[in-house]
Amino acid sequence: MNMKKTKMTEHLRARAEDLLAQVGESFQPADIDDINKLHHELAVHQAELELQNEELHRTQLALQSARDLHVELYEHAPVGYVLLDAVGIIRRTNATWRTMLQRPDDDFCGIPFAETLTESDARIFLSRFRSLFHNPANKQIELQIRRHNSSPFHAHITAKRSVGEYGEKGTDALMVTVSDISELKQAEKALQHERDEAKRANAAKTEFLSRMSHELRTPLNAILGFAQLLQLPGEQPLNAQQSNNINEIHHAGMHLLELVNEVLDLARIDSGRLDISLEPVELRPLIERCAVHIENQAKTRDIRLKPPGNNDYTVFADPLRLQQVLSNLLSNAVKYNCEGGSITIECAMAKDQHVRVSVHDTGRGLSPGQISRLFRPFERLESAYDGIEGTGIGLALTKHLVEGMQGRIGVDSEFGAGSTFWFELPQCQGAAVDLDLKTPVATTIVTAHRQNRLQKILYIEDNPANLRLIQKILLGRCADIELLVAKNSAEGLMVAGQEQPNLILLDLNLRGMDGFETLGHLRADPATRAIPVIAVTADTIKPDMEHGPETRFDGYLTKPLNVEIFMQYLNSVFKKSTENK
């Protein structure tokens, strides 16, 4: 466009000169007008040309500024740029790259890129260079780059082929973008160290809980076991005072056991080791069993239990954990109720195909501030000053158990008008699990299934108090049972092979060879392979499911022993033994 304007100006000037030359020859008045027009057009075009020159100058300045900015951004970008030719030779670098290598005055041109890497990573880069260069898509790799007179640093490399980027003929090049990720690697290393430390601490905590479980439950086993024996009908009945004393001992022992169980369960949840096994569970029998268990406690305070009118629901839950949840809510409904009050249990469908179980009491109720603190561990509100037993763990544990069974829990309460604790679990249409062997029932006579044939039980146990307890339980109640005793695993394996007992009771925490290893030897010996073996242990942290199928027990009894459950186990085992013969 500027060329056209220049030609136009030259043309006008030429015409003006021609006219001036003709003035002397044939000057006419009309020519004056033409001359004036030519001068005016010449002035206009001259002004336009000056404007265009100014615009061109501004454009040149802006272009130079953009070039300077581009160079500045390229040179001092937060990442390093390295341009490589087709054989991996460095042809261009930016200042950031040179600073990374602590050599700001060296442009590195003509040096193979592999020479800037550690020896091992140089081999990796060379083996992948062809793929990096010939694939136009971005390729990423992590390498260690050597600093000048210093330790290498971890770098994240992004390589992309640039078409016509290098050389006179416009040959292709590889643009390598380098990011220093040393701090990220250090953070990852520190995080991994923290994870390892947490894992070791968690393992130590688990081991501590396992030992504490065993050490606390072992004396409780003797206390509760012998108390239960004294409560059973015997040849010399207890007088009223003795009976009351035994009841107090049993009550205190059960309370202590409850506290131990809650603390250990809460610790398991904290360490991620609480096992929950979901299956279809029918609510009706479970609610009835829990109501029976709490009935005596309710009667002492003249509290009426109102079972639900419609509880024919099946939910997806862990049967034992669900019983623990409901028992805890019912126990609290008794503790925090008023004398002569009532407890109402209701079942109903809730949203999202969940079944809601509600436990309503007629106690004093809760304020909004109390509700906000309710499910915190060791939070007892004002009950600690009212003489009510507890640690404040129960509701916190209950919340974890419900949520672990994919449910939800809450409370509706009005101060002075009672409280309704509820939980919701997914509804299930499948067949419900049979809980008969998982909850106490009336003791039956062991001899009923054995047709007066002598049965042998081998108990492998190194704790004298536990041995005496089993002896007392069987003495006088099962005349056709012969109790064999072994105080260590080696002795137990020998007696089992010689006597061929009908049942083996095996303590897991034996000194030397533990119960799992002992069971492995029993299963490996054809002479003892078929003998039922029941684990008896105070350790509730390490279930036998962690071990192989060759060390799976036929039953699992936890100390402190419940005498009725223990006798029920014997009945079940001997009945199966009789049916198989």
Side-chain angles (χ1 to χ4, degrees):
M1 183 175 180
N2 291 337
M3 185 69 69
K4 290 182 179 180
K5 291 289 184 180
T6 302
K7 290 181 178 180
M8 178 64 70
T9 302
E10 292 176 354
H11 175 69
L12 291 173
R13 285 177 176 172
R15 288 189 58 192
E17 290 176 356
D18 290 341
L19 290 173
L20 290 173
Q22 294 174 5
V23 167
E25 298 176 1
S26 57
F27 181 78
Q28 299 293 332
D31 293 334
I32 297 176
D33 294 336
D34 291 338
I35 293 172
N36 290 335
K37 288 180 181 179
L38 289 173
H39 276 289
H40 176 71
E41 290 181 13
L42 180 63
V44 170
H45 285 288
Q46 187 76 22
E48 289 181 354
L49 183 60
E50 290 176 356
L51 288 175
Q52 289 178 0
N53 287 335
E54 292 178 1
E55 182 179 355
L56 177 61
H57 181 66
R58 288 195 298 270
T59 301
Q60 290 175 338
L61 291 177
L63 180 59
Q64 184 60 44
S65 177
R67 286 175 178 172
D68 294 342
L69 179 61
H70 175 76
V71 171
E72 181 70 17
L73 291 175
Y74 173 82
E75 288 293 327
H76 302 288
V79 295
Y81 291 119
V82 183
L83 189 69
L84 308 181
D85 62 17
V87 292
I89 303 299
I90 297 175
R91 295 304 178 185
R92 187 185 307 157
T93 63
N94 70 341
T96 303
W97 158 261
R98 298 189 290 272
T99 302
M100 283 181 178
L101 273 68
Q102 300 177 350
R103 294 164 66 177
D105 298 328
D106 191 345
D107 61 8
F108 292 90
C109 291
I111 298 175
F113 182 74
E115 289 187 5
T116 66
L117 306 176
T118 61
E119 184 176 349
S120 59
D121 283 6
R123 290 193 295 268
I124 295 174
F125 175 76
L126 292 174
S127 66
R128 297 187 58 181
F129 179 75
R130 183 175 296 275
S131 173
L132 292 171
F133 188 87
H134 293 284
N135 192 328
N138 285 1
K139 290 294 186 71
Q140 300 182 3
I141 186 174
E142 286 189 10
L143 299 170
Q144 290 191 73
I145 298 177
R146 294 186 292 110
R147 294 189 181 97
H148 180 63
N149 295 329
S150 182
S151 60
F153 66 93
H154 289 273
H156 181 269
I157 305 294
T158 301
K160 184 177 181 180
R161 190 177 67 183
S162 297
V163 179
E165 186 72 21
Y166 172 73
E168 296 179 357
K169 297 181 179 179
T171 55
D172 293 350
L174 189 69
M175 177 59 75
V176 175
T177 303
V178 183
S179 300
D180 187 345
I181 58 172
S182 299
E183 293 185 0
L184 177 61
K185 286 295 183 179
Q186 291 176 358
E188 289 179 353
K189 186 176 181 180
L191 180 60
Q192 185 60 46
H193 178 71
E194 291 178 4
R195 288 174 177 170
D196 293 340
E197 288 296 319
K199 188 176 180 180
R200 283 192 289 270
N202 191 45
K205 179 180 180 180
T206 300
E207 182 63 24
F208 171 76
L209 290 174
S210 176
R211 292 181 180 275
M212 286 301 298
S213 174
H214 182 266
E215 295 302 323
L216 291 172
R217 287 173 176 271
T218 297
L220 276 175
N221 182 52
I223 294 171
L224 291 174
F226 283 106
Q228 290 177 81
L229 286 178
L230 291 173
Q231 290 175 319
L232 295 173
E235 297 179 358
Q236 297 179 351
L238 302 175
N239 59 39
Q241 183 177 357
Q242 291 172 330
S243 180
N244 289 335
N245 291 342
I246 293 302
N247 288 338
E248 287 294 332
I249 293 173
H250 187 259
H251 175 75
M254 290 301 296
H255 178 58
L256 181 56
L257 176 61
E258 180 182 353
L259 299 183
V260 170
N261 288 340
E262 287 180 346
V263 170
L264 291 176
D265 277 344
L266 198 63
R268 289 191 196 100
I269 291 172
D270 185 53
S271 60
R273 293 182 60 87
L274 184 67
D275 295 321
I276 291 180
S277 177
L278 301 180
E279 54 189 87
V281 180
E282 189 177 351
L283 284 177
R284 178 187 290 276
L286 185 139
I287 292 175
E288 290 175 351
R289 295 174 194 277
C290 292
V292 169
H293 293 166
I294 208 70
E295 191 172 8
N296 289 334
Q297 185 182 349
K299 285 181 179 179
T300 60
R301 302 192 64 206
D302 193 26
I303 295 174
R304 302 183 309 278
L305 281 173
K306 299 179 181 179
N310 178 20
N311 60 351
D312 292 328
Y313 294 103
T314 299
V315 295
F316 204 56
D318 184 311
L320 295 181
R321 296 303 183 184
L322 178 54
Q323 180 172 316
Q324 188 176 353
V325 167
L326 191 54
S327 295
N328 187 281
L329 295 182
L330 287 173
S331 178
N332 284 349
V334 174
K335 289 180 184 178
Y336 300 100
N337 215 324
C338 61
E339 296 285 342
S342 63
I343 299 173
T344 303
I345 307 171
E346 295 180 349
C347 298
M349 286 300 301
K351 61 181 180 180
D352 302 330
Q353 294 299 307
H354 279 60
V355 177
R356 173 176 288 201
V357 179
S358 303
V359 177
H360 176 72
D361 65 66
T362 55
R364 71 179 69 175
L366 299 165
S367 67
Q370 289 175 319
I371 292 176
S372 65
R373 297 152 49 200
L374 198 58
F375 294 100
R376 299 175 185 173
F378 306 103
E379 180 62 74
R380 296 198 61 206
L381 305 181
E382 286 72 32
S383 63
Y385 307 102
D386 296 338
I388 300 175
E389 294 179 341
T391 60
I393 300 175
L395 284 177
L397 176 60
T398 297
K399 183 175 186 294
H400 282 295
L401 292 177
V402 171
E403 292 175 349
M405 294 185 289
Q406 303 175 14
R408 43 188 177 252
I409 188 172
V411 59
D412 301 316
S413 183
E414 181 180 350
F415 192 74
S419 303
T420 300
F421 285 84
W422 55 264
F423 62 89
E424 297 174 354
L425 293 172
Q427 185 186 29
C428 180
Q429 302 296 334
V433 68
D434 183 7
L435 295 178
D436 286 345
L437 293 179
K438 298 183 180 180
T439 53
V441 297
T443 304
T444 57
I445 303 300
V446 181
T447 57
H449 302 298
R450 286 174 282 131
Q451 302 173 351
N452 298 321
R453 185 170 57 84
L454 186 65
Q455 300 285 332
K456 294 181 181 180
I457 296 179
L458 170 61
Y459 188 18
I460 307 175
E461 171 66 77
D462 55 9
N463 186 293
N466 292 336
L467 287 171
R468 288 195 299 270
L469 175 61
I470 296 298
Q471 289 172 337
K472 292 286 186 180
I473 292 174
L474 299 179
L475 182 64
R477 306 189 70 210
C478 307
D480 55 349
I481 289 181
E482 179 184 0
L483 181 63
L484 307 172
V485 174
K487 296 183 179 180
N488 55 61
S489 296
E491 184 180 340
L493 292 173
M494 181 183 66
V495 174
Q498 292 176 352
E499 298 292 335
Q500 292 291 295
N502 303 92
L503 173 66
I504 297 176
L505 303 176
L506 177 58
D507 181 57
L508 293 187
N509 294 278
L510 296 168
R511 297 180 183 88
M513 187 189 305
D514 66 13
F516 294 109
E517 188 176 354
T518 304
L519 180 62
H521 286 288
L522 290 170
R523 294 289 190 246
D525 188 345
T528 58
R529 182 178 300 161
I531 300 175
V533 182
I534 294 179
V536 184
T537 181
D539 188 351
T540 62
I541 300 294
K542 296 179 180 177
D544 59 350
M545 291 183 293
E546 294 183 358
H547 298 262
E550 71 281 357
T551 54
R552 294 289 168 81
F553 289 90
D554 297 280
Y556 204 98
L557 287 174
T558 303
K559 302 172 187 176
L561 284 178
N562 183 297
V563 175
E564 293 183 342
I565 293 180
F566 173 65
M567 297 304 296
Q568 185 182 353
Y569 258 91
L570 296 187
N571 284 334
S572 175
V573 172
F574 288 141
K575 182 179 179 180
K576 291 180 181 178
S577 177
T578 302
E579 291 173 350
N580 293 334
K581 291 189 177 184

